Amino acid sequence: MDKDCNCIKGFIEVQYKEIEKRMVKGKEICIENWYTGSRFCPVCEPKRAHIQDTSNTSEELGQRLRELSLYKQAENYNKQETNKTRIL
Ligand SMILES: [Zn+2]
């Protein structure tokens, strides 16, 4: 099946720029930093890509991704519980 994307295992490599403000000898200067990063593929990882798009900081992103995986774990746990109930 053809995918509508060029991701590698759900990730797309991107180059992005961050402006860092520093105080040097009492003056504020801006430093341009270029990073190579990976973004979640919106086709293969729509939930994670959405979280990445709507997070303002990497801390917020990390927190929300953890919550997403915790939610998934809870879902699995509930399924296991349901199975147990059925067996009993
Ligand atoms: Zn993809």
Side-chain angles (χ1 to χ4, degrees), residues 18-44:
E18 267 182 21
I19 305 292
E20 186 187 341
K21 280 185 182 173
R22 273 199 205 158
M23 294 295 283
V24 177
K25 292 175 186 167
K27 277 187 185 174
E28 192 177 74
I29 57 162
C30 291
I31 300 166
E32 223 177 63
N33 291 314
W34 281 91
Y35 296 100
T36 304
S38 45
R39 293 188 57 82
F40 292 110
C41 173
V43 177
C44 307

Side-chain angles (χ1 to χ4, degrees), residues 3-12 40-45:
K3 291 190 298 174
D4 188 20
C5 60
N6 339 302
C7 71
I8 303 157
K9 293 177 181 174
F11 289 100
I12 299 167
F40 292 110
C41 173
V43 177
C44 307
E45 296 277 4

Side-chain angles (χ1 to χ4, degrees), residues 40 46-56 60-62 64-65 68:
F40 292 110
K47 274 187 186 172
R48 286 181 166 82
H50 176 74
I51 287 175
Q52 197 162 39
D53 284 344
T54 54
S55 293
N56 295 315
E60 187 187 345
L61 173 66
R64 290 172 70 191
L65 286 175
L68 184 70

Side-chain angles (χ1 to χ4, degrees), residues 71-84:
Y71 174 72
K72 274 192 176 170
Q73 279 169 19
E75 252 186 354
N76 289 338
Y77 182 72
N78 286 339
K79 274 177 198 158
Q80 280 168 14
E81 285 298 295
T82 313
N83 288 342
K84 265 184 209 164

